[in-house]
Amino acid sequence: MLPVEWSGEEWTGLDGAPGIVYDLGCNIYSPDGRVFQIEYAAKAVENSGALIGLKCKDGVIIGAEKLMPSRLLMESSGRRVHPVGMHAGIAFTGYAADGRPVVNAARQEVENYHDYYGVDMPPHTLAERLGHYFHAYTTYGGYRPFGLTTMVTSFDEVTQEPFLHMIDPSGTQFRFHGAAAGKSKQAAKTEIEKLNLKALTCAEALKRISLIIHTIREEEKDKPFVLEAGWITADTDWKFQLVPKNLRDEAFEWGKAEFDKMDDDDDDDED
Amino acid sequence: MATVSQTLACAASGADVSAGRSAADPHKHTTSPIVTGTSVVALKYKDGVMMAADTLGSYGSLSRFTDLRRIVTTGGYTLVGADGDYSDFQYVQDILKELEVEDACVADGITHSPKEIWCCMARILYHRRSKMNPLWNNLVIAGFHEGEAFLGTTDKIGTSYECDFVATGMGLHMAMPILRRHWKPNMSESEARELLESCMRTLFYRDCRTINKITFASATKKGPSVDEPVEVSTEWSYQSFVDPKAGSDTGGSW
Amino acid sequence: MASIASSEGDRTLDPAMQVGGAGVDVASSTPLQHRFSPYSWNGGTVLAVAGKDYCVVATDKRLAEGYSILSRKIDRALQLTDKTVIACGGSHNDVEALYNHLKLRAVMYKYNHEEDLSTIGAAQLLSNTLYYKRFFPYYALAVIAGLDDDGVGYVAGYDAVGSYLRSRDGYTANGSAAAIAMPILDNALGKVGVSSGLDEKPEYSIADTIEMLKDIFVTVGERDILCGDAVDIYAITATGTEHEVFELKAD
């Protein structure tokens, strides 16, 4: 039984408040054509750390701002970037617990495809299958959409090129030159648009991502975070690889220093 | 009248004993190999392990494929060589590839050790024989991990053991005596290679399902690697080759 | 085609091919096929002798198949607990699978009961485990040796489907050369059997028992081609189990 009543005119909550009924599940639209649960799922993403993906000159890189809610947490726990095959990896931001089944689903898809066709799953197929998976959770009563935005990077054997895809809670997926998700994604997108992606290498992009994350998280800059990243580049032989810790640490410090410099300049301007 | 092994086979597959093996039998299992590879020979030596196998894929008595690779590397440390049915070996390679992907997904830089892969293969082959649907191979698993050489083998029913040197199939009858006589611990790389070559040469002389195009492979601290096929030197001017009946009534043998 | 290919299976002669079993089905002209056997006969001889406060079990280390020796140094015995050892001849693939299962059960027992499985308990567990596969048996000819709950030597022999009996005279033989070794044991230790001339059960020391088992293995190794290379000997007493390897002829 849904906690709703029929007033004779419209459905209301038990307290008689109108309209509330349309967000109780994702199996009905609101009169103006929205599925509220999907929008709420998107809210879960907006409250979470930033995710930035860039398709560069020599590959694709995805970086994640992993917020550390406690200093007691191990740095390597609660990973946001995951390999799902030799040639593919995904990263997510949002409701972290929802990430596990998505990672497993992606791994299964990649494995089954290789079993069946003997070649690596093409990027658009992987993104499409994950899109379907997300979408299925927006159509059934008793299910809720994933509170996740997911970026997929994988290498296309046919075009010999890596791709970047992003999937949101509704299951829509697009291909991107550069993408951002999570908290302050608008600010991040503005920063990405300033980059010359055709000339940028992944190694440089790692630093840029660090800087962008440091820049856009101004209001909560005292909250600790870990920079996680994964890439597919010519240097990794077009295999997906988690970016080694020393490179991430280096990029983290560079981004922090650059941001502090800019911050000081700003302060100077004010004086 | 059903034989005991028929009864066992049917009991395992759930088929009716009285029906025996008929077209109506819902299960069609591998009861014989199709494209086959012959012996794999391997030994431990000072720096690790060395393995050899020829490149022939036989289709019955037809030399059907002449450039099949029957030794592969897997993970960071291991070689797997196979004789028997080649399609079953390709299936084994698929499993090994999946293991590699699983390791890569964990992304901690750790891959399975040779011993783990040997154990895993033995369990898979035993599992399949228990379903009366065997993978028709002898597998030789060799590797070098944490400073130690590993060499193990398993057959199609999952009989598995570790050893210092091993030869499968015809090699069990013709290479093992050579290995038993000449193998010793801590052989140098060239000694090991020479011994393997002598095994492969003898097999080429005497095993009808061999060709003189042989892949040598090794696993050392530098990791596993498989070389491109080479020929071993041969000598056909032995009197018993030239004139098999010479001197005695041995029917062409000695 | 199938007949061409199938003739390339195992390059050993399968007697079943000649005497009925497979062969050509005249009515449907089914081509001759190899029959797959999930079993192998890898040899393995196990002897065990129980004393009033000890137990000795010995088994050879040769893994054989037909006229070939596959390995000269396999382990046929499983030390299940501090005071229980199981050893099996038969098809070594099944023996290994059986051991893996028993090891797991022994560990689970310890977790659940906070003590080791007793020898008598292990004996019943082994029987149940074998009988569970009554219609696709483990080809494992087992002997269990250990100390019972009173600290007295316990020896029991099994068939492949779990039938077992604690030896009344405190000795048993199983596996490849059991038929050769058993009369020797009867003669040296038997009181109940007809081949014994003894009125009283003799009491040998543990050291003498080990020496006797070594002698028997030397003798058996001369007569059974599947037996040889070396013997694993486990001597079980209240203070624990001692293991030694005794070399045989590697011929």
Side-chain angles (χ1 to χ4, degrees):
Chain A
M1 273 293 280
L2 286 172
V4 291
E5 286 179 321
W6 179 247
S7 69
E9 299 261 312
E10 59 170 353
W11 287 100
T12 67
L14 292 177
D15 60 357
I20 195 168
V21 64
Y22 296 110
D23 68 358
L24 292 178
C26 56
N27 55 339
I28 50 165
Y29 285 106
S30 76
D32 52 349
R34 295 155 68 181
V35 181
F36 283 113
Q37 282 294 320
I38 296 175
E39 294 179 24
Y40 297 166
K43 277 276 188 301
V45 178
E46 277 166 35
N47 291 332
S48 193
L51 194 60
I52 295 171
L54 301 175
K55 186 172 185 305
C56 307
K57 186 172 78 173
D58 64 340
V60 169
I61 178 168
I62 302 175
E65 171 201 17
K66 183 170 79 182
L67 296 168
M68 301 300 274
S70 162
R71 289 193 182 279
L72 298 178
L73 273 174
M74 297 286 282
E75 189 186 306
S76 58
S77 78
R79 229 160 63 189
R80 298 303 182 108
V81 188
H82 300 262
V84 296
M86 290 299 190
H87 75 305
I90 71 175
F92 55 80
T93 183
Y95 192 60
D98 278 4
R100 296 309 313 180
V102 174
V103 170
N104 285 332
R107 284 176 182 166
Q108 297 246 314
E109 292 291 348
V110 167
E111 182 178 327
N112 290 342
Y113 190 97
H114 193 279
D115 267 6
Y116 215 88
Y117 299 107
V119 291
D120 284 337
M121 195 175 203
H124 64 93
T125 313
L126 174 55
E128 211 166 77
R129 296 305 305 233
L130 284 181
H132 286 319
Y133 188 68
F134 270 61
H135 175 253
Y137 278 75
T138 68
T139 55
Y140 295 102
Y143 286 95
R144 63 175 169 78
F146 289 110
L148 295 174
T149 288
T150 300
M151 287 189 196
V152 183
T153 175
S154 56
F155 184 70
D156 193 327
E157 266 183 43
V158 178
T159 61
Q160 290 289 302
E161 191 183 2
F163 287 104
L164 171 68
H165 291 260
M166 185 164 73
I167 305 157
D168 70 18
S170 71
T172 49
Q173 44 92 9
F174 292 107
R175 229 167 81 190
F176 288 87
H177 286 293
K183 199 171 282 186
S184 326
K185 71 175 173 197
Q186 280 309 332
K189 273 194 250 184
T190 311
E191 294 297 320
I192 291 172
E193 280 165 16
K194 292 178 194 165
L195 300 173
N196 180 7
L197 292 173
K198 287 201 169 63
L200 201 64
T201 65
C202 283
E204 291 158 0
L206 177 64
K207 293 179 172 179
R208 289 288 154 190
I209 289 172
S210 167
L211 176 56
I212 294 173
I213 292 173
H214 276 101
T215 310
I216 61 177
R217 65 195 307 275
E218 198 168 355
E219 60 269 37
E220 73 236 288
K221 66 177 161 201
D222 295 331
K223 289 188 192 161
F225 81 98
V226 172
L227 174 65
E228 287 198 351
W231 56 24
I232 297 179
T233 75
D235 289 343
T236 65
D237 201 20
W238 301 119
K239 303 246 188 307
F240 182 85
Q241 187 197 51
L242 298 179
V243 177
K245 184 167 160 34
N246 58 330
L247 296 182
R248 287 187 288 119
D249 287 347
E250 197 182 306
F252 184 97
E253 293 308 326
W254 183 87
K256 190 168 169 0
E258 284 295 304
F259 172 69
D260 288 344
K261 250 191 275 174
M262 283 163 31
D263 215 21
D264 291 344
D265 293 345
D266 290 347
D267 294 344
D268 294 345
D269 294 344
E270 280 162 33
D271 292 338
Chain B
M1 185 61 198
T3 64
V4 173
S5 56
Q6 256 179 333
T7 312
L8 285 175
C10 292
S13 63
D16 184 2
V17 177
S18 60
R21 190 193 304 273
S22 71
D25 192 338
H27 298 285
K28 185 59 193 163
H29 291 159
T30 304
T31 49
S32 60
I34 310 295
V35 174
T36 57
T38 185
S39 322
V40 179
V41 185
L43 53 83
K44 285 186 190 171
Y45 69 107
K46 184 161 62 69
D47 305 328
V49 209
M50 204 181 277
M51 195 187 287
D54 74 10
T55 54
L56 180 65
S58 302
Y59 184 72
S61 56
L62 176 71
S63 292
R64 179 64 183 81
F65 304 101
T66 55
D67 194 22
L68 292 190
R69 307 307 160 99
R70 297 192 287 117
I71 305 176
V72 295
T73 66
T74 184
Y77 317 101
T78 312
L79 293 169
V80 178
D83 75 0
D85 189 274
Y86 198 72
S87 68
D88 281 348
F89 180 51
Q90 287 179 323
Y91 174 71
V92 168
Q93 287 176 61
D94 286 350
I95 295 171
L96 292 170
K97 181 59 76 183
E98 270 170 33
L99 270 181
E100 280 184 348
V101 174
E102 271 173 39
D103 278 341
C105 283
V106 178
D108 54 6
I110 298 169
T111 61
H112 286 87
S113 70
K115 191 167 185 165
E116 286 167 336
I117 289 169
W118 166 69
C119 199
C120 179
M121 291 297 109
R123 279 5 279 158
I124 288 168
L125 267 60
Y126 181 77
H127 181 72
R128 288 290 296 260
R129 82 99 218 191
S130 296
K131 294 200 288 187
M132 292 303 269
N133 185 195
L135 295 171
W136 210 280
N137 301 108
N138 286 299
L139 298 180
V140 177
I141 292 96
F144 192 83
H145 182 50
E146 289 178 346
E148 235 178 287
F150 175 87
L151 182 56
T153 179
T154 174
D155 68 8
K156 64 177 168 296
I157 61 171
T159 315
S160 58
Y161 52 93
E162 289 176 57
C163 42
D164 292 326
F165 49 85
V166 68
T168 70
M170 280 295 252
L172 180 59
H173 300 105
M174 290 192 301
M176 276 305 266
I178 302 171
L179 289 165
R180 281 182 184 138
R181 173 155 302 178
H182 297 290
W183 184 88
K184 56 188 193 293
N186 293 111
M187 295 170 83
S188 71
E189 185 182 340
S190 59
E191 284 174 324
R193 172 70 179 235
E194 206 177 317
L195 179 50
L196 270 193
E197 282 183 8
S198 115
C199 289
M200 298 314 285
R201 184 181 300 113
T202 301
L203 285 166
F204 177 55
Y205 287 152
R206 244 54 231 215
D207 178 359
C208 291
R209 303 290 177 257
T210 327
I211 52 171
N212 191 3
K213 195 175 164 194
I214 295 159
T215 45
F216 287 87
S218 66
T220 63
K221 65 175 181 228
K222 290 184 206 130
S225 68
V226 184
D227 296 343
E228 278 300 294
V230 293
E231 283 190 4
V232 293
S233 62
T234 51
E235 173 56 68
W236 297 101
S237 60
Y238 294 123
Q239 192 57 33
S240 58
F241 284 158
V242 177
D243 183 8
K245 296 236 184 204
S248 64
D249 184 23
T250 57
S253 186
W254 50 64
Chain C
M1 185 197 80
S3 64
I4 296 170
S6 62
S7 67
E8 296 304 307
D10 279 354
R11 288 175 186 147
T12 52
L13 286 176
D14 181 359
M17 281 170 62
Q18 275 91 47
V19 290
V24 178
D25 182 339
V26 181
S28 62
S29 297
T30 310
L32 181 139
Q33 292 220 312
H34 258 279
R35 176 162 297 112
F36 168 71
S37 169
Y39 296 118
S40 179
W41 172 227
N42 300 121
T45 301
V46 190
L47 307 179
V49 173
K52 71 177 194 303
D53 58 356
Y54 66 86
C55 200
V56 184
V57 56
T59 180
D60 65 318
K61 294 177 80 68
R62 172 175 293 180
L63 184 74
E65 193 169 81
Y67 292 121
S68 300
I69 295 168
L70 301 180
S71 174
R72 299 183 195 276
K73 52 181 185 185
I74 59 148
D75 297 326
R76 271 211 176 76
L78 169 70
Q79 165 104 243
L80 197 64
T81 69
D82 286 348
K83 51 182 182 181
T84 311
V85 172
I86 292 168
C88 302
S91 192
H92 196 61
N93 57 344
D94 273 343
V95 172
E96 292 264 276
L98 175 65
Y99 286 176
N100 284 338
H101 183 86
L102 292 175
K103 273 189 266 187
L104 185 79
R105 292 293 299 262
V107 169
M108 290 309 296
Y109 185 95
K110 197 163 185 179
Y111 286 164
N112 290 328
H113 298 86
E114 297 183 347
E115 65 175 8
D116 274 338
L117 183 61
S118 68
T119 301
I120 290 170
Q124 183 65 46
L125 173 66
L126 175 54
S127 172
N128 293 150
T129 306
L130 291 168
Y131 191 74
Y132 182 77
K133 271 174 68 65
R134 171 63 179 79
F135 296 106
F136 185 16
Y138 285 120
Y139 189 178
L141 305 171
V143 164
I144 190 166
L147 301 179
D148 69 11
D149 296 342
D150 302 320
V152 179
Y154 179 106
V155 157
Y158 292 73
D159 72 4
V161 291
S163 170
Y164 77 114
L165 193 69
R166 179 176 186 172
S167 164
R168 286 170 294 175
D169 280 339
Y171 60 88
T172 194
N174 210 348
S176 175
I180 303 174
M182 201 57 176
I184 308 174
L185 287 166
D186 281 335
N187 201 249
L189 299 166
K191 191 165 85 76
V192 177
V194 290
S195 66
S196 164
L198 303 171
D199 294 327
E200 292 293 319
K201 182 172 162 44
E203 271 298 336
Y204 289 106
S205 71
I206 191 163
D208 288 346
T209 304
I210 291 170
E211 283 311 304
M212 176 167 62
L213 287 178
K214 286 178 181 173
D215 280 352
I216 295 175
F217 262 103
V218 167
T219 260
V220 154
E222 293 292 330
R223 288 292 181 182
D224 177 7
I225 58 165
L226 300 178
C227 180
D229 296 325
V231 187
D232 273 320
I233 302 171
Y234 291 81
I236 308 161
T237 60
T239 54
T241 302
E242 283 186 23
H243 170 235
E244 70 169 293
V245 177
F246 174 65
E247 298 292 330
L248 293 178
K249 275 158 77 173
D251 60 354

